[in-house]
Amino acid sequence: MSIRYVEGTKQFILETAETCYQMKVDGMGYLQHLYYGGKTGQSDMSYPFRTYDHGFSGNPYDMRNNRDYSLDSMAQEFTSFGVGDYRITSFRASFADGSRCAEFRYVSHEIIEGKYEIPGLPSAYDNGETVHTLIITLKDFAVNAEVKLYYGVFEELDIITRAAAIINAGTEPMWLRKASSMCLELPFGKWDMLHFHGRHCMERQPERVPLFHGVHTLSSGRGMSSHQHNPFVIICDRDANEDEGTCYGLMLMYSGNHKTEIERDQFDNVRVITGINDDRFRWELTSGDTFYTPEVILSCANGLTQLSHHYHRVIRNNVVRGDYKLKHRPVLINNWEATYFDITEEKVLSIAKKAKELGVEMFVLDDGWFKNRNDDNAGLGDWIPDTEKLPDGLDGLIEKINGLGLLFGLWIEPEMVSEDSDLYRAHPDWAMTAPNRAPMMARNQLVLDLSRKEVHDYLFDTISNLLETYRINYIKWDFNRPISDVFSHSIPSSRQGEVQHRYYLSLYRLYDRLTRKFPNVLFEGCAGGGGRFDAGMLAYSPQIWCSDNTDPISRLTIQYGTSFGYPACTVGAHVSASPNHQTGRKTPVHTRGVVAMSGTFGYELDLTKLSDEDCAEIKEQIKRFKELEPIIHDGKLYRLSKMRDTSHYMAWQYVSADQSRAVLNIVVTNPLANSAPVHVKLKGLLPEAVYSVDGEFECRGAALMSGGYTFKRLTGDYPAKQLDIIRIK
Ligand code: GLA
């Protein structure tokens, strides 16, 4: 059993293959955090804690003269508010009498087989592994509020999921101001934080900084998980590297406003709190109501590589769902960077025809296919094919595309509306706008208020209708502006603080209904590129367009940052034109192929304009990707270059699940004159096995991992090399 309760010491011990998590109910009934890290045998991990008088940190009333006990210095599983712990908190609420204090003590617990679910929210599911759930109930008897803490222990995966439910157990209403998903305390050690910040066209840039005294905040209030701060953070030992050192990951499974706070306090205790962003959040709980928080996927590993492997595995097997979960993802051609809005049937078909000749499997028609959509100023909301651009209609085009032997995919941006659209003219109040205020425009469009039932139903019917009317195999679901002017015309003023979260509850339900109704359709998420690249979206769309920046050199750091938490099979990546449309940089088509192969792989350029030489290379690339896909998508990733190497080169490697094949990739980003050749040590091979190294020579795995491999000098503009390491003995 991966969860044990020790009656005598009132201790909870959660064990996975290589980690252990311990907490205990103390004499006062508080739920203390004791330990999270490598396995400790049967040890009771309360021994490292010593209590003493902390001076200006006060003591709970029950302790009277015992000044050694203070909530302000204690490691806790769920925090109080307003009663003497002055650090960041996971909970804030106001009560009918105007009070705001709350503190929770242990009431009961239950241990159940299998993984809990969270009503209305996506969560990691049990995929045949050993999973147990622990639910601990805490209560504040003064205000009659209850908290249930959920722990999902995925034993073989070294994953513990966390979530919380807040229950109004009283008779009067209460108002939640903050309801975080979890608190993690690190009472000992010196820690760095590795987080993934960015901007449009430059998402998930890794940044590693030592934790200073005070509070670090990583958050989004943009109505989307955002380009700016991904809801994933790693706290690692200051000396941790790819191969060793304690690393904790906290991945919030949520696509809306989120906040992670990390406080290093006066006693060097580190507290991490993550969940829904509490800015502008206010949720009314009437008597008997429950509020569920989103889930956090928590992991602890030895080294960053192992931590990434834990996340890649759980996302691939326990987050992503549906027919395409483990299936080959069709190699696609998307017309966006080839035509932008300037679509004609003739152009589209000429690209599709060429694509088929080169081995592409699916054509995706991007933005601009519907009525009045000649630029990004009009048309969103009216999902009716433009018969001027497509004289035989969408069905006519699909028939011709299918006739070429290609599957067909379509772009939509359902959550948005243009002012210049029939939908907006009919229902102006469906757009998110605040009363008596002209809204902020972004890309000249507005966001539909999906928290409204009519909007939800309209979108379900509209998308169902598209999928029923046309033979569509794939949907690219876009979201091209942040949310502002948050206000719903359908709920009373007292509930306006709920709109943003209600929006996401409705979006998840919409996605859930659609993916259940159309299990054969592959959904790809998108938000101006990778502005909503998170585990919440991955529960419905197995892949997400990683960035609007398709320059392979920019993509190296974007995909590198993304790789810490998310596997290659989720990363939408395409070969685009050179010079690149976002950076103007010229790169060889080979390099573009090597980089895009570390994702779902496709093309996004006018293939009819390419030289015969480039076309021949593309034909080869597609063949190669199909051969390598199982290694890249189902194997293990090893990052072979460090962050500081990336100004010179980037090297990375995939190893198949049975370790019989590996792919070694290098892209030189800045060839240096007369420099030492790039040398890397391979990882993850079988030490005793003999491998053929790209047909060049044969060598034992142990030798390649200890002695490494020296690349031939690579010169010119952004050269790349992809080597096959194949086991022969
Ligand atoms: C967003 C997407 C692009 C493209 C355009 C179309 O920016 O990220 O890939 O679909 O919208 O308007």
Side-chain angles (χ1 to χ4, degrees):
M1 177 65 114
S2 55
I3 302 174
R4 272 187 300 135
Y5 177 64
V6 185
E7 191 67 57
T9 48
K10 294 193 170 167
Q11 238 173 304
F12 294 97
I13 302 175
L14 280 44
E15 278 189 313
T16 66
E18 291 186 27
T19 69
C20 172
Y21 191 110
Q22 286 195 20
M23 51 202 155
K24 128 186 203 176
V25 181
D26 69 15
M28 313 269 296
Y30 293 111
L31 187 60
Q32 281 190 11
H33 176 79
L34 297 181
Y35 177 78
Y36 186 29
K39 277 209 161 149
T40 58
Q42 299 294 311
S43 308
D44 169 350
M45 295 307 288
S46 52
Y47 78 86
F49 294 87
R50 293 201 190 276
T51 55
Y52 57 94
D53 183 353
H54 280 297
F56 263 72
S57 294
N59 325 106
Y61 188 79
D62 330 26
M63 295 308 280
R64 296 298 172 106
N65 264 345
N66 180 353
R67 298 185 188 183
D68 289 354
Y69 187 105
S70 175
L71 291 179
D72 201 26
S73 59
M74 204 173 91
Q76 294 158 70
E77 283 297 308
F78 195 78
T79 65
S80 56
F81 182 73
V83 294
D85 183 345
Y86 296 93
R87 297 170 291 173
I88 51 174
T89 180
S90 25
F91 178 87
R92 263 187 303 118
S94 52
F95 303 96
D97 59 6
S99 69
R100 291 181 174 219
C101 299
E103 50 134 357
F104 298 90
R105 302 200 198 192
Y106 172 84
V107 176
S108 63
H109 73 268
E110 56 180 317
I111 297 170
I112 46 181
E113 289 248 341
K115 168 69 184 10
Y116 64 86
E117 287 185 15
I118 312 175
L121 287 164
S123 57
Y125 60 93
D126 155 0
N127 189 38
E129 303 89 351
T130 322
V131 189
H132 289 100
T133 292
L134 167 67
I135 307 170
I136 303 179
T137 304
L138 311 175
K139 187 164 181 178
D140 181 318
F141 287 91
V143 293
N144 273 323
E146 248 175 46
V147 173
K148 283 190 190 297
L149 301 180
Y150 291 81
Y151 301 81
V153 183
F154 289 73
E155 200 172 327
E156 296 96 328
L157 305 189
D158 282 315
I159 291 284
I160 297 178
T161 59
R162 301 273 307 264
I166 322 286
I167 302 138
N168 181 349
T171 50
E172 300 289 322
M174 59 181 260
W175 296 271
L176 282 178
R177 309 275 179 153
K178 184 173 188 182
S180 301
S181 301
M182 64 162 283
C183 168
L184 177 70
E185 306 262 20
L186 305 173
F188 309 106
K190 294 224 174 333
W191 305 101
D192 279 358
M193 151 177 107
L194 172 56
H195 71 115
F196 306 93
H197 70 99
R199 56 185 188 274
H200 177 228
C201 282
M202 218 56 203
E203 298 86 341
R204 290 170 297 287
Q205 302 295 298
E207 183 171 63
R208 181 169 173 171
V209 290
L211 291 179
F212 53 67
H213 288 101
V215 182
H216 298 252
T217 303
L218 311 167
S219 68
S220 167
R222 294 168 187 263
M224 59 207 284
S225 50
S226 88
H227 304 85
Q228 286 73 14
H229 287 295
N230 195 262
F232 176 52
V233 69
I234 296 171
I235 309 293
C236 58
D237 190 279
R238 205 149 284 175
D239 297 324
N241 56 32
E242 288 285 0
D243 304 317
E244 56 188 7
T246 304
C247 301
Y248 300 99
L250 292 92
M251 180 179 282
L252 183 66
M253 216 169 163
Y254 192 57
S255 315
N257 293 340
H258 59 89
K259 188 185 264 186
T260 297
E261 294 160 287
I262 304 160
E263 178 168 7
R264 181 171 161 201
D265 72 14
Q266 54 184 334
F267 307 115
D268 286 331
N269 176 72
V270 169
R271 173 176 283 180
V272 191
I273 280 176
T274 186
I276 291 177
N277 191 335
D278 55 322
D279 299 345
R280 300 184 293 272
F281 173 82
R282 184 180 187 268
W283 193 278
E284 183 171 315
L285 279 182
T286 53
S287 170
D289 275 359
T290 302
F291 179 84
Y292 293 94
T293 73
E295 175 158 293
V296 179
I297 305 174
L298 179 67
S299 192
C300 172
N302 184 24
L304 294 162
T305 301
Q306 194 188 53
L307 190 74
S308 294
H309 291 170
H310 291 173
Y311 280 102
H312 293 182
R313 190 168 52 184
V314 72
I315 288 187
R316 214 162 32 203
N317 298 328
N318 310 79
V319 170
V320 168
R321 292 147 225 253
D323 284 10
Y324 275 96
K325 176 173 160 174
L326 299 172
K327 219 162 89 175
H328 164 67
R329 311 280 173 77
V331 175
L332 63 84
I333 172 93
N334 177 304
N335 72 296
W336 178 242
E337 287 198 17
T339 65
Y340 295 101
F341 293 102
D342 200 7
I343 298 170
T344 63
E345 192 190 77
E346 201 189 337
K347 239 191 242 178
V348 161
L349 286 175
S350 64
I351 295 172
K353 191 160 169 283
K354 187 75 194 173
K356 175 65 192 174
E357 278 168 31
L358 301 181
V360 166
E361 296 160 306
M362 178 161 73
F363 179 86
V364 176
L365 185 61
D366 210 279
D367 197 355
W369 60 267
F370 47 99
K371 226 177 72 185
N372 202 16
R373 187 68 172 170
N374 299 314
D375 54 34
D376 54 12
N377 288 309
L380 294 172
D382 303 339
W383 302 104
I384 297 160
D386 180 343
T387 44
E388 273 173 38
K389 288 180 186 163
L390 308 172
D392 291 338
L394 195 55
D395 39 354
L397 176 71
I398 296 175
E399 215 179 295
K400 289 172 201 165
I401 297 275
N402 289 165
L404 290 171
L406 292 170
L407 300 170
F408 180 80
L410 191 68
W411 176 97
I412 51 171
E413 197 183 353
E415 296 157 77
M416 300 289 163
V417 65
S418 304
E419 272 188 323
D420 184 2
S421 68
D422 293 341
L423 182 68
Y424 183 79
R425 282 181 281 272
H427 302 285
D429 57 323
W430 284 11
M432 193 92 85
T433 55
N436 309 317
R437 184 179 302 284
M440 176 190 87
M441 300 303 286
R443 220 189 185 206
N444 204 12
Q445 64 196 49
L446 294 167
V447 187
L448 287 172
D449 173 9
L450 195 46
S451 72
R452 286 180 81 132
K453 189 179 175 308
E454 314 85 293
V455 174
H456 177 106
D457 291 343
Y458 169 79
L459 290 183
F460 179 74
D461 292 345
T462 307
I463 301 169
S464 291
N465 189 33
L466 274 175
L467 292 174
E468 273 158 3
T469 312
Y470 304 106
R471 287 172 56 151
I472 296 172
N473 307 96
Y474 156 111
I475 284 283
K476 178 176 170 189
W477 182 314
D478 214 335
F479 177 91
N480 276 324
R481 61 155 286 175
I483 302 180
S484 66
D485 302 274
V486 177
F487 186 88
S488 179
H489 296 270
S490 65
I491 52 173
S493 59
S494 62
R495 296 233 174 216
Q496 291 298 327
E498 300 176 15
V499 175
Q500 281 278 15
H501 184 55
R502 284 174 180 256
Y503 182 101
Y504 275 94
L505 290 175
S506 173
L507 179 67
Y508 288 141
R509 198 163 69 82
L510 180 62
Y511 248 123
D512 190 54
R513 292 174 70 194
L514 288 166
T515 47
R516 281 178 202 278
K517 187 165 173 193
F518 303 100
N520 301 324
V521 176
L522 170 62
F523 285 83
E524 175 155 349
C526 180
R532 217 163 48 178
F533 201 114
D534 56 70
M537 280 294 130
L538 287 172
Y540 307 102
S541 55
Q543 56 193 59
I544 299 179
W545 183 226
C546 183
S547 178
D548 272 348
N549 188 342
T550 55
D551 174 329
I553 306 307
S554 307
R555 275 290 184 125
L556 285 176
T557 47
I558 298 169
Q559 293 179 192
Y560 172 79
T562 306
S563 81
F564 282 87
Y566 307 95
C569 63
T570 63
V571 173
H574 298 166
V575 171
S576 64
S578 174
N580 177 268
H581 292 194
Q582 293 80 41
T583 62
R585 188 177 356 229
K586 289 186 188 155
T587 52
V589 71
H590 181 65
T591 303
R592 283 175 267 152
V594 166
V595 176
M597 278 189 213
S598 289
T600 56
F601 200 59
Y603 291 83
E604 189 162 335
L605 74 172
D606 189 346
L607 292 171
T608 64
K609 295 203 174 121
L610 296 189
S611 65
D612 290 348
E613 211 184 337
D614 280 359
C615 285
E617 162 83 32
I618 288 179
K619 214 170 176 171
E620 248 338 279
Q621 283 176 357
I622 295 172
K623 251 198 251 145
R624 239 182 112 60
F625 176 73
K626 287 191 183 166
E627 191 186 326
L628 299 181
E629 189 187 12
I631 308 172
I632 295 173
H633 285 188
D634 308 330
K636 284 185 174 164
L637 164 74
Y638 294 89
R639 293 173 289 263
L640 302 182
S641 42
K642 299 196 181 70
M643 275 186 244
R644 66 166 183 276
D645 297 328
T646 57
S647 57
H648 171 31
Y649 71 91
M650 184 84 99
W652 70 104
Q653 182 200 342
Y654 295 97
V655 181
S656 66
D658 64 1
Q659 294 164 289
S660 68
R661 271 198 79 164
V663 191
L664 174 60
N665 301 287
I666 182 169
V667 176
V668 176
T669 49
N670 182 20
L672 303 174
N674 196 23
S675 68
V678 175
H679 176 268
V680 293
K681 288 187 176 173
L682 277 85
K683 293 185 180 176
L685 302 175
L686 290 166
E688 291 305 317
V690 178
Y691 293 88
S692 152
V693 181
D694 215 39
E696 207 187 317
F697 60 92
E698 291 168 11
C699 200
R700 286 219 183 264
L704 290 168
M705 293 192 287
S706 303
Y709 175 82
T710 310
F711 284 92
K712 288 182 187 149
R713 275 194 75 210
L714 291 164
T715 53
D717 287 336
Y718 310 107
K721 190 103 185 94
Q722 190 174 62
L723 283 89
D724 284 319
I725 319 287
I726 301 174
R727 182 178 183 180
I728 47 168
K729 271 185 247 166

